Amino acid sequence: MGNESFVLHTIFLIVFAYSADLVFGDPAWFPHPVRGVGKLITLLKKYLRRGGNQENEKAKGIILFFLVVGISCSLSFAALKLLTRWNSFLGDILWIYLGYTALATKDLGVEAREVFRKLKTGSLIGARQKLSRIVGRDTEGLSEEKIIVATVESVAESANDGIVAPLLYLCLGGPVLAIAYKAINTLDSMIGHKNDKYRDFGWFSARMDDAANFIPARLTGLLVSFSSLLTGMGFRNSFSTMIQDGRKQLSPNSGIPEAAMAGALGIRLGGCVSYDGEVLERPYLGKERKRPVPAQIKEAVKISFVSSVLALFLGVL
């Protein structure tokens, strides 16, 4: 296969993987590599900390990281190579499947809209339950405004973690690199917590997730700003808020797209949140030019979708 044919073939695979995610999403019954990564992390974590032994936690955490990422990449690479050698068409199907499962464009919109629907019907209890599916914070007792803020924050952060970053890595290194990113991201979400249980054990995974998301998060912030322009919400407020407030969060990355989204919608994100009963005061992002209303959830989803289209365009370009 010549260079030009290879490039066109790869573009075809990327577009099909993106399209498959838009069509199928992530049904619970469908086998998903990321769920497999989660089970692998749980299994290896139990083995490394067997007997309740929590000595040399940082070293064990580093071992877990390389085992999980190494196994995930090796299995993906071997499966692609073997299947492609046997039948190139089936190899392409596996390429598309692995690429599609690394993305979450449709699921992000579906989950956020479920919160919106519950709010529109006046069911705060239902909205809190739906919100708990997409955020790690405590959702019990949240007011309508807090639910809206939490949902918009989740959409903005997931625009990076679930769309732009995996799509970027898919374009740079195919499904093996995309799966590597998802393995790192899953490690961070499962053990990268700054509490007594995981502070040392998950330290390395958290730092690697910061590194893996450093460029994608900033690209996502820019894409959110340009998407705000394309959706009629304006570029200036989104971009300026990203520049002014994007680095206020403790995380070097999550605040970038969140600040861009806050500026686009004209609302203020951040503030007091609770995780497992522990209250944390997060810095505010953006100025409260408008009060949070449910419709802003749909606006955030629209911005994230346009961002995904722009990311796809840049990737294939």
Side-chain angles (χ1 to χ4, degrees):
M1 186 182 293
N3 286 339
E4 184 177 345
S5 297
F6 174 78
V7 170
L8 291 174
H9 183 70
T10 304
I11 289 173
F12 168 83
L13 295 175
I14 292 169
V15 171
F16 256 76
Y18 175 85
S19 301
D21 174 55
L22 290 184
V23 173
F24 300 111
D26 181 20
W29 58 266
F30 197 64
H32 200 292
V34 176
R35 283 195 281 270
V37 170
K39 291 179 180 178
L40 178 63
I41 293 170
T42 300
L43 179 66
L44 292 174
K45 180 177 67 174
K46 287 181 179 178
Y47 177 77
L48 289 168
R49 304 176 103 184
R50 60 191 182 279
N53 183 3
Q54 294 191 14
E55 296 178 359
N56 303 315
E57 287 282 86
K58 285 192 175 182
K60 291 177 181 177
I62 294 172
I63 292 170
L64 176 68
F65 175 87
F66 283 109
L67 281 175
V68 170
V69 176
I71 291 172
S72 301
C73 290
S74 298
L75 288 176
S76 302
F77 180 80
L80 278 167
K81 279 292 183 183
L82 291 173
L83 199 57
T84 301
R85 285 181 182 177
W86 181 52
N87 186 296
S88 61
F89 175 75
L90 292 179
D92 286 347
I93 295 298
L94 180 61
W95 201 108
I96 292 169
Y97 164 73
L98 292 174
Y100 135 61
T101 55
L103 302 172
T105 308
K106 180 177 181 178
D107 259 35
L108 172 60
V110 168
E111 297 287 356
R113 287 192 188 96
E114 285 294 318
V115 178
F116 167 78
R117 290 190 187 97
K118 292 296 182 181
L119 289 176
K120 289 298 287 183
T121 61
S123 175
L124 284 182
I125 295 176
R128 291 167 189 149
Q129 290 173 342
K130 295 296 182 181
L131 177 63
S132 67
R133 293 166 54 92
I134 59 175
V135 299
R137 71 189 67 180
D138 302 330
T139 61
E140 296 84 359
L142 290 183
S143 65
E144 179 177 282
E145 287 194 4
K146 288 286 188 180
I147 292 171
I148 294 165
V149 166
T151 305
V152 170
E153 287 177 350
S154 177
V155 170
E157 188 172 358
S158 296
N160 175 66
D161 296 351
I163 303 174
V164 176
L167 190 54
L168 173 65
Y169 287 114
L170 182 66
C171 293
L172 289 175
V176 175
L177 193 58
I179 291 297
Y181 169 78
K182 295 305 292 185
I184 295 170
N185 196 236
T186 306
L187 278 161
D188 178 62
S189 66
M190 291 182 67
I191 65 169
H193 308 299
K194 294 179 180 179
N195 54 29
D196 292 340
K197 186 176 181 180
Y198 290 121
R199 182 174 287 106
D200 291 333
F201 189 68
W203 163 81
F204 189 75
S205 292
R207 296 291 76 75
M208 290 301 98
D209 184 73
D210 289 344
N213 280 300
F214 189 83
I215 292 175
R218 282 144 186 83
L219 177 60
T220 304
L222 288 172
L223 292 177
V224 166
S225 295
F226 280 109
S227 298
S228 302
L229 175 65
L230 295 176
T231 54
M233 298 177 208
F235 174 85
R236 181 180 296 177
N237 285 333
S238 177
F239 184 76
S240 62
T241 304
M242 178 184 69
I243 298 300
Q244 293 169 9
D245 296 347
R247 296 301 302 274
K248 287 183 177 180
Q249 298 279 27
L250 290 176
S251 164
N253 301 315
S254 64
I256 304 292
E258 288 182 16
M261 188 69 79
L265 300 179
I267 61 176
R268 190 173 64 173
L269 303 180
C272 186
V273 297
S274 173
Y275 292 91
D276 296 325
E278 182 180 350
V279 178
L280 300 175
E281 188 66 38
R282 302 172 66 198
Y284 286 108
L285 307 178
K287 296 178 180 178
E288 195 172 30
R289 300 193 304 274
K290 305 175 186 175
R291 283 192 60 200
V293 294
Q296 289 157 350
I297 294 175
K298 293 183 72 174
E299 291 175 351
V301 170
K302 184 191 297 185
I303 290 172
S304 72
F305 173 72
V306 175
S307 297
S308 77
V309 176
L310 292 177
L312 176 68
F313 175 77
L314 288 175
V316 299
L317 186 63

